Amino acid sequence: MPALRVVVGEPDRVVRARLRGVLHMGNGVYVVGEANAAHRLSDLVARHRPRVAVVNAALRQAAGAEFDSVVTALTRKRTQVVLVSDALDEELLARALREGVGGFVHRQSLFEEIVPAVRLVAAGHTFISSAMITRLRDRIAAVVTGVDHQLAELTRREAEVLALVATGLSNAGIAEKLGIGTGTVRSHLARILTKLQATNRAHAVGIAYESGYITGGCHHQRAHGQA
């Protein structure tokens, strides 16, 4: 298995050192560069071409629009991004998913969750911290109504699957929640990606946030009344 190359964007030197130690304990994961500012992170990615960038959202406070442009550039270069946030900020999560960020890790659980987050995001999946999942799961609406855009083409079951994808659940977790097989979940996901013209799970969730199908305050499962 090829080495999983990671760069870290984190302003705190102590946290960077601890992150490096935790990531290096994960077999095959290597930190190939560290940055304490957004522009330096961009230079690191251009130099090392990592698979994943672990980026503290605090860099945005210092860099502003520059941070947003760096994150967008990373996702366009096929570098997956795991965003680290001090707060369970639903608006930040929504914006990050719209920009193609694949992972959202809460600072309080950073060192417990960072290795699985990096591995899942590198594989093209979405990772959201358990604390954020709990907050979002509690707000999934039960009502299914109509909606415009490509989301109107989703069946009720596909709408349910998309809402659960947005909470960060794995295929197995979604299957257990809905009482269906994991193969059925994969089939639903394939149809969702096709209908939304999405490239991956994170992109599909981003479309749902952008359209208002899922909001920072709650999830609205809205689709035609098909099975």
Side-chain angles (χ1 to χ4, degrees):
M1 180 182 296
L4 179 51
R5 298 159 62 84
V6 176
V7 296
V8 173
E10 164 61 52
D12 188 308
R13 179 179 58 82
V14 174
V15 174
R16 288 200 307 273
R18 190 172 174 191
L19 266 175
R20 182 173 63 250
V22 171
L23 287 167
H24 282 177
M25 290 175 63
N27 185 35
V29 180
Y30 297 97
V31 176
V32 295
E34 302 171 19
N36 61 2
H39 70 278
R40 292 181 179 175
L41 179 64
S42 184
D43 292 341
L44 279 178
V45 171
R47 188 183 317 137
H48 297 290
R49 299 186 180 278
R51 187 75 182 94
V52 178
V54 177
V55 185
N56 190 333
L59 293 181
R60 189 180 193 281
Q61 297 175 354
E66 182 183 2
F67 174 85
D68 294 335
S69 65
V70 167
V71 170
T72 300
L74 292 181
T75 57
R76 286 177 179 171
K77 292 176 182 177
R78 298 186 178 180
T79 295
Q80 302 297 324
V81 176
V82 174
L83 192 66
V84 179
S85 174
D86 289 339
L88 294 174
D89 187 334
E90 296 169 30
E91 294 301 329
L92 175 62
L93 173 62
R95 186 168 65 248
L97 290 173
R98 284 197 299 268
E99 293 170 354
V101 169
F104 183 96
V105 176
H106 188 216
R107 183 68 162 237
Q108 289 186 353
S109 55
L110 174 60
F111 301 112
E112 292 79 17
E113 294 185 332
I114 192 58
V115 172
V118 165
R119 289 194 178 280
L120 281 171
V121 168
H125 302 302
T126 303
F127 182 95
I128 299 176
S129 273
S130 56
M132 181 61 86
I133 289 173
T134 299
R135 173 172 290 195
L136 294 176
R137 184 186 296 147
D138 290 343
R139 296 183 178 183
I140 295 176
V143 178
V144 179
T145 57
V147 71
D148 296 328
H149 196 53
Q150 301 108 308
L151 288 156
E153 300 178 9
L154 299 185
T155 66
R156 289 189 181 191
R157 181 61 86 188
E158 289 164 357
E160 291 170 345
V161 169
L162 179 58
L164 291 172
V165 168
T167 69
L169 285 179
S170 65
N171 287 358
I174 294 171
E176 181 179 358
K177 186 82 172 176
L178 297 179
I180 59 179
T182 55
T184 302
V185 173
R186 286 195 295 271
S187 296
H188 284 313
L189 282 172
R191 288 193 291 271
I192 289 168
L193 295 184
T194 298
K195 289 179 179 180
L196 301 187
Q197 300 178 23
T199 56
N200 54 38
R201 295 162 69 108
H203 187 195
V205 173
I207 290 171
Y209 271 107
E210 187 172 13
S211 69
Y213 174 85
I214 298 173
T215 69
C218 65
H219 291 241
H220 300 288
Q221 293 184 18
R222 301 182 292 183
H224 287 312
Q226 300 166 281

